[in-house]
Amino acid sequence: MYDRELRKLALVSRVGLIYRAPDGVLTALYDVPEENPLYVCASLREKMLHGADSQEMPYIYRDSFEVYFACIKAPDGHYLIGPMSSLPQSAVVTRSFYYSYNMKGSDYPTLRTYTIQQILYIVELFAEGLTGKTYEETELLFLNKIAQKST
């Protein structure tokens, strides 16, 4: 899948998309990089990369704010997707969310809200375009332990 198609898919999905090349260089394909925890927070990014490298399917992570992130390992590098909130977040919670990822400022972007089904579809579409493989929602749910309550 070419950058142009990836950017279109990210735009239609309204989700941040960051490419990490094998040499570690980050490129924001959609969204403002300085407003995305996947771009700013190295520890979150490393968690996502490690998760994707440790399994064959896309890695999906749900944090304590009920915000989801995904990482897809493709032949040419890693693609990081998110944030995708599963709940509407108040301004106070949004501030806490960004602060937890070392993003300090006064004007935080609103977290976009998605249903779990929409999050899974977004990850499935990116994965199929990047790897040519298809995944079932139940696979993504259970193998990423999303079906269980996060602790």
Side-chain angles (χ1 to χ4, degrees):
M1 185 175 263
Y2 297 106
D3 273 5
R4 183 175 172 185
E5 285 80 18
L6 288 171
R7 290 174 197 267
K8 286 180 182 179
L9 183 54
L11 175 67
V12 170
S13 325
R14 299 179 62 221
V15 66
L17 177 63
I18 296 165
Y19 168 67
R20 183 184 179 272
D23 63 2
V25 174
L26 297 175
T27 304
L29 298 173
Y30 177 72
D31 228 349
V32 178
E34 295 78 18
E35 295 179 353
N36 191 319
L38 290 166
Y39 192 89
V40 174
C41 184
S43 61
L44 173 62
R45 196 169 48 253
E46 290 306 314
K47 176 183 191 62
M48 300 304 298
L49 297 170
H50 176 74
D53 286 340
S54 68
Q55 61 188 38
E56 290 296 314
M57 67 171 31
Y59 176 69
I60 303 172
Y61 169 68
R62 175 179 60 189
D63 73 6
S64 61
F65 296 93
E66 297 296 318
V67 175
Y68 291 77
F69 300 92
C71 185
I72 298 168
K73 182 179 178 180
D76 64 336
H78 291 81
Y79 291 82
L80 300 136
I81 303 163
M84 301 172 280
S85 181
S86 62
L87 299 171
Q89 306 286 1
S90 69
V92 172
V93 172
T94 298
R95 191 174 313 116
S96 296
F97 165 79
Y98 284 109
Y99 192 80
S100 74
Y101 291 111
N102 301 322
M103 298 176 69
K104 295 164 181 70
S106 58
D107 189 28
Y108 299 101
T110 303
L111 290 166
R112 293 181 188 103
T113 305
Y114 304 84
T115 65
I116 300 301
Q117 192 70 53
Q118 289 171 323
I119 293 168
L120 294 172
Y121 285 161
I122 289 167
V123 174
E124 287 175 37
L125 287 170
F126 276 107
E128 187 171 355
L130 291 166
T131 67
K133 298 177 184 174
T134 58
Y135 300 94
E136 295 295 322
E137 290 85 20
T138 53
E139 287 180 288
L140 292 172
L141 277 171
F142 289 104
L143 293 176
N144 281 294
K145 299 183 175 105
I146 295 169
Q148 304 167 8
K149 183 70 179 155
S150 61
T151 55

